[in-house]
Amino acid sequence: MVSTAAPPPWAVHLPEGAAFDLPAPGTLVGACTERLADEPDRPLLHTDGAWTTRGEFLEQTSAAAGRLATAGLVAGDRVLVSGPSSLDLAVAHVACLRLGLVVVPVNGAYTGGELAHIVADCRPAAALVDHDGWADLLLGFDDGLIVATTAADLADGTTPPLDGSAPEDPAVIGYTSGTTGAPKGAVLTQANLLAGAESVCLAWRWTDVDRLLLCLPLFHMHGLGVGLHGTLLAGGSAVLQPGFAPDRVLDGIAEQGCSMFFGVPTMYHRLVDHDGAAELGRLRLCVAGSAPLPPALHARFADIGVSVLERYGMTETVMLVSNPYEGERRAGSVGFPLPGVDLRLDPSTSEVQVRGPNVFSGYWERPDATAGAFVADGGDGAAWFRTGDLGSVDDDGYVTITGRAKELIITGGFNVSPGEVDEVLAAHPAVAEVAVAGAPSEEWGEEVVAFVVAVDGHACPTVDDLREFARGRLAPHKLPRRMVPVDALPRNSLGKVLRHELREALRDD
Ligand code: MLC
Ligand code: AMP
């Protein structure tokens, strides 16, 4: 077991006496607003060709919080927030946190059914959304919902006292897919979010002189919990881009003098072949995560002078493990537990289990799922969260993610629950049985492949047929990219599909 009682392995290269521990528990919003109030004229966010200063951002979040309060929202209310990355989106997020509201970030590519599930599950009081048709859709689910754009275009009013949340107050509910069933909401408190952002600020030496190129979506932990919260906490600045385009990323880095870039492996895969890829070597830090970074891709970047730092995290925990800032960034490994994180491997299954101030306390209104996600310590220590990932730790303390106990497909950094896709595809009239599995893909890490048994007398539907059929019911990243016709699905004696056999069949391709 690795603990933080002594300087953790990632700290061995720190100058003598440097801090390696997290500060006392507090709130993300308190720590960030304190930073923003200092030197209000410094640039904070670059969007649409212009900079917003710290002072302007504070003022805009305070005014938006006032409008939300005037609309009747009170601390603890859930607010669904969704839009392409923009200044308004960042302001809406922070305004909600300042008022003590619980942000529910949602992927704008979700279909009506996927959105309906989240609304029914967490019962938001309001939605701040920037997607065509969503306002009507949401009001159709609940006509009492307060619906506005992320500019919180509601009536003006007095701003009540802000930033009063306690560390244990819920701040974000992040919906995450499991093996089966609909996505569950992971409830992260102010203290969880603070610890998650603080740990990477410490480990990556993130300071107020840093400038991040941030093109990751703000509805997942990578873009939101690390990219945006880290920027606010470190007092740095960020160039916010709505979506990923290699040219725009490289131009933004050069034109705005960025020092850091964070991306999923698919982004690195697309950047490595770009003529300007070596420009990334000018940055102080390039971080990859959300899915395994293939060692060959790591090596290709090393060849052009870019030492990519890989780290590992989850919606439920923000960040967990990172390669060292100083010291060897080992290809294929995710490095050492971050400050505050205790990590152990289950001795019989090798499952990675973690605990620490960044780890969430449970799923929204799912006591059974929550109970199943934790293992009691046995002593009087905090329970361990079961990540569902398998791992190993080598003699130098480097952690490697070796596989997954959970049945999940991760494509381009987005999680896909195979059960959810099976259920939709099974309703196709020419499909008798279907099961999806993740096939290795250079670009996507894994891609969704459907194994289909056709209804007797029917031709097997093509992959395009399946995609067309499922398009209105599943977000585009969940749609199959290949179809394999089979006579029967491999099943165990209880009739459960043996998905690992499907994956193995794909590896032999
Ligand atoms: C888009 N598509 C995808 C996809 N993203 N298909 C499979 N997997 C994905 N991840 C679909 C599009 O809808 C489109 O479908 C088609 O693929 C081609 O789109 P594209 O233009 O090539 O894709 P693009 O828009 O460029 O998106 C690719 C991407 C994006 C890599 C930029 O997927 C992305 O931003 N991923 C980041 C995910 C992320 O932030 N994960 C963090 C999770 S937090 P069609 O049907 O229209 O052709 C977490 C914790 C941690 O995991 O450790 O960080
Ligand atoms: P999410 O639920 O979207 O937060 O995805 C979290 C999952 O992404 C983890 O449980 C891992 O399976 C996976 N993951 C994140 N980072 C890495 C990484 N660097 N290497 C391997 N898997 C990763």
Side-chain angles (χ1 to χ4, degrees), residues 176 220 288-293 310-316 334 387 389 401 404 406 408 410 413 415:
T176 179
H220 277 314
S290 306
L293 182 73
E310 184 173 5
R311 88 325 171 258
Y312 157 69
M314 282 184 81
T315 302
E316 290 91 332
V334 288
T387 63
D389 294 307
I401 303 300
R404 263 177 243 140
K406 53 193 174 192
L408 204 62
I410 304 186
N415 290 0

Side-chain angles (χ1 to χ4, degrees), residues 85-146:
S85 293
S86 68
L87 177 61
D88 282 348
L89 185 69
V91 168
H93 175 71
V94 175
C96 288
L97 295 184
R98 296 192 69 188
L99 196 57
L101 305 174
V102 184
V103 176
V104 184
V106 173
N107 185 341
Y110 276 178
T111 62
E114 291 164 320
L115 188 59
H117 162 69
I118 293 176
V119 171
D121 196 63
C122 73
R123 305 179 306 283
L128 303 176
V129 294
D130 286 337
H131 309 293
D132 288 346
W134 274 37
D136 289 341
L137 200 58
L138 286 160
L139 288 168
F141 302 147
D142 175 0
D143 59 10
L145 202 61
I146 298 165

Side-chain angles (χ1 to χ4, degrees), residues 398-413:
Y398 280 83
V399 177
T400 296
I401 303 300
T402 53
R404 263 177 243 140
K406 53 193 174 192
E407 276 187 355
L408 204 62
I409 301 170
I410 304 186
T411 167

Side-chain angles (χ1 to χ4, degrees), residues 340-420:
V341 175
D342 280 348
L343 180 148
R344 72 177 189 187
L345 300 179
D346 181 294
S348 50
T349 62
S350 297
E351 182 184 51
V352 177
Q353 300 182 347
V354 292
R355 61 185 186 182
N358 54 315
V359 177
F360 82 140
S361 47
Y363 295 105
W364 173 256
E365 295 183 344
R366 300 284 169 99
D368 292 349
T370 300
F374 288 90
V375 189
D377 179 45
D380 54 5
W384 295 87
F385 172 60
R386 304 174 51 193
T387 63
D389 294 307
L390 305 177
S392 64
V393 182
D394 72 10
D395 291 345
D396 301 327
Y398 280 83
V399 177
T400 296
I401 303 300
T402 53
R404 263 177 243 140
K406 53 193 174 192
E407 276 187 355
L408 204 62
I409 301 170
I410 304 186
T411 167
F414 285 134
N415 290 0
V416 179
S417 155
E420 186 187 358

Side-chain angles (χ1 to χ4, degrees), residues 215-217 220-223 244 264 266-267 270 289-291 311-315 318-319 411-415 443-444 467 471 476-477 479 481:
C215 62
L216 286 154
H220 277 314
M221 272 309 139
H222 198 165
F244 171 73
V264 297
T266 301
M267 293 177 180
R270 293 184 186 177
S290 306
R311 88 325 171 258
Y312 157 69
M314 282 184 81
T315 302
V318 199
M319 292 299 106
T411 167
F414 285 134
N415 290 0
E443 178 174 13
W444 299 103
R467 286 172 70 83
R471 195 170 279 283
H477 65 269
L479 301 175
R481 287 186 178 271

Side-chain angles (χ1 to χ4, degrees), residues 236-249:
S237 55
V239 175
L240 200 57
Q241 296 187 341
F244 171 73
D247 284 337
R248 200 169 54 202
V249 165

